[in-house]
Amino acid sequence: MADCGPEVLTRYGALRGAAADGVAAFLGVPYARPPVGALRFRPPEPVEPWEGVREAAAFGPTAPKRPYAPPLDALLPDPEVAGDGCLNLNVWAPWDGGGPGAGLPVMVWIHGGSLVHGSSAVPVYDGTAFARDGVVLVSVNYRLGIEGFGVFPDAPANLGLRDQIAALTWVRDCVAAFGGDPGRVTVFGESAGAISTAALLASPLAQGLIHRAVVQSGAPVALPLDRARRTTRAIAARLGVPATAEAFAGVDRDGLLAAQTEVTGTGSPLTGGHAFQIAVDGEVVPRDPAEALADGASAAVDLLMGTTTEEYRLWFVPSGVTDRVGPLVQRLLLRKAKVPSRTARVYRAGRPGEKPGEILGALATDKLLRVPLNALADARLRAGADAGTYLYEFGWRSPVLDLGACHALELGFVFDTLDLPETRALTGPDAPRELAAAMHAAWVSFAATGDPGWRRWDRSRPVMTFGPGLPSVVKAPREAERRAWEDRVRRRESRQVAAG
């Protein structure tokens, strides 16, 4: 019966959720007003208080989006919930029958999806296991695509990031009602969610809202406004309207999503093309997040970062890129991506049995993810940050379509949701439960104590590897490849010094 569900009282009104097996779930909770009408393309406005008890037993509306294109649509479930009030969140909390706990660690999940896909309703992100283990888990929806990350002359940039900050403000103000400690909040995200997390760590508007952070398969990156607005202009040209928020607000939403998909469908982080990116706007993101974090932003925030071993395989294998790329095409793409020939030779020498497409993918994984994350860890170490920095790598290989240790594979392990069919679409039916238990426990420990269970980053560069068998701490892998990238960085810095 709905009237028997658990209830909490927040500063905005009462909520009624659902409870089972010691966990209460409050779903579709608004943290800001619906971004429609006059509020479309505007910063989020605080939610209006309500009277009575609001039912919170079903996921709220998702942000406007299109499904993943085949074949990724079969691997990455992306449910759509209709409605205008997409600025909502979900809370899972321990519940002993009499009410919530108190002073519990809080984790806030920011989903990935290239800033155009995803939502908090993805079943893989179910927060039950975190609540079972003493964490209040919050997952957030935010505006996507042109409505969340378009760059206009007549509207603020980074509206999706502003939504995330509004959600974190709600957490600060309301999470105690669910048993959470607003002074012990860990923000974690994967892919675009990790990029968002890094930007939030560098944002003055989010200071004090984040106490620990986990960055999974995404690196600190943002574009200058002029470059970030190119995607908006390309969509405007496709639609035949001015590149203004006022003009876009008058476009049919289905037509807008169709044009957005056509413009961004062929973009690639390695070779370029149109895609939505976080913008250096001078306010939410005053400067490049990588530079800000290296210079000490969020130095007091404990940081856990990492990648999967073969990130690229999620895109390269199902699309056939690994088989289509030959030596000549590989060289052309590496030249376009400005990868030095010396670095490429090191990779070829160290991977003698791999196809040119696989070597290209390994280079892309390191260039876009592993190298920037290692550089940030080194910068925090040099700065003598008081907070801990920890690195991991997820190396268990999925047998599905020979995806291997691909992008997003670790998510079902982190959330301990291996039994769900949506997780098994990527992992297959026989993923090791003991590995999920170990990885999930590390994330819980990090949220609770700031220590995931292995040595923090130091000059020996320890990396926790989650792979077949028990996880183990190893020296940072692929030393020759790492040194090749570092040699490139040193040569570039030497040229800059010589140039004055």
Side-chain angles (χ1 to χ4, degrees), residues 78-402:
D78 194 9
E80 183 176 355
V81 181
D84 290 329
C86 66
L87 301 186
N88 61 74
L89 51 78
N90 315 299
V91 182
W92 285 266
W95 202 268
D96 65 6
L104 300 174
V106 179
M107 298 187 75
V108 179
W109 173 248
I110 301 177
H111 69 80
S114 302
L115 302 179
V116 293
H117 298 292
S119 78
S120 64
V122 173
V124 179
Y125 309 151
D126 185 280
T128 298
F130 279 107
R132 174 199 69 199
D133 294 331
V135 171
V136 176
L137 190 286
V138 180
S139 60
V140 176
N141 281 338
Y142 55 96
R143 279 174 282 185
L144 302 171
I146 194 70
E147 297 194 32
F149 296 92
V151 179
F152 302 100
D154 56 339
N158 295 316
L159 290 174
L161 273 183
R162 293 171 188 267
D163 295 341
Q164 295 166 15
I165 294 170
L168 289 173
T169 302
W170 184 97
V171 168
R172 181 197 64 196
D173 295 340
C174 298
V175 79
F178 303 86
D181 180 356
R184 198 161 41 138
V185 174
T186 299
V187 175
F188 69 131
E190 186 266 350
S191 193
I195 295 171
S196 296
T197 299
L200 292 172
L201 289 173
S203 174
L205 302 189
Q207 295 307 298
L209 300 175
I210 305 171
H211 309 97
R212 295 178 181 125
V214 185
V215 174
Q216 300 175 213
S217 299
V221 63
L223 294 180
L225 271 177
D226 284 345
R227 288 182 58 194
R229 76 171 78 246
R230 292 175 185 174
T231 298
T232 303
R233 288 172 172 166
I235 296 172
R238 181 66 59 96
L239 291 168
V241 301
T244 64
E246 181 181 12
F248 273 67
V251 176
D252 171 77
R253 180 164 275 160
D254 288 338
L256 182 56
L257 288 173
Q260 172 180 296
T261 301
E262 291 168 2
V263 167
T264 62
T266 59
S268 164
L270 185 65
T271 59
H274 291 295
F276 289 102
Q277 302 279 0
I278 291 170
V280 179
D281 63 356
E283 183 180 2
V284 182
V285 185
R287 57 185 296 211
D288 180 85
E291 295 178 359
L293 292 171
D295 286 346
S298 289
V301 174
D302 295 313
L303 185 58
L304 171 60
M305 305 183 289
T307 67
T308 68
T309 302
E310 302 169 299
E311 298 272 0
Y312 71 94
R313 294 185 75 84
L314 180 65
W315 300 283
F316 280 30
V317 173
S319 63
V321 170
T322 49
D323 294 322
R324 290 200 307 269
V325 172
L328 178 59
V329 172
Q330 182 204 68
R331 285 178 168 81
L332 291 173
L333 290 174
L334 291 177
R335 185 178 302 169
K336 185 173 183 180
K338 299 181 180 179
V339 175
S341 58
R342 180 182 303 182
T343 301
R345 285 197 298 271
V346 171
Y347 278 71
R348 294 188 189 102
R351 301 167 182 265
E354 296 189 10
K355 302 173 184 177
E358 291 174 320
I359 295 172
L360 176 69
L363 278 155
T365 295
D366 286 356
K367 175 181 173 64
L368 300 173
L369 294 171
R370 192 170 289 115
V371 170
L373 294 182
N374 284 6
L376 175 54
D378 286 341
R380 283 168 61 94
L381 181 64
R382 287 193 301 271
D386 292 332
T389 304
Y390 301 87
L391 266 72
Y392 75 90
E393 183 172 312
F394 183 83
W396 181 80
R397 305 189 82 248
S398 170
V400 176
L401 299 178
D402 193 28

Side-chain angles (χ1 to χ4, degrees), residues 2-3 5 7 14-17 26-30 50 52-58:
D3 59 358
E7 294 186 12
L15 294 165
R16 180 184 294 125
F26 300 85
L27 309 179
V29 180
W50 59 86
V53 179
R54 185 185 185 107
E55 297 295 336

Side-chain angles (χ1 to χ4, degrees), residues 443-478:
W443 265 236
V444 170
S445 176
F446 180 74
T449 69
D451 183 351
W454 62 89
R455 292 199 329 272
R456 63 170 62 189
W457 189 259
D458 56 28
R459 292 179 180 177
S460 69
R461 294 182 156 197
V463 176
M464 172 61 85
T465 299
F466 293 93
L470 294 176
S472 59
V473 176
V474 299
K475 190 177 181 181
R478 291 172 293 280

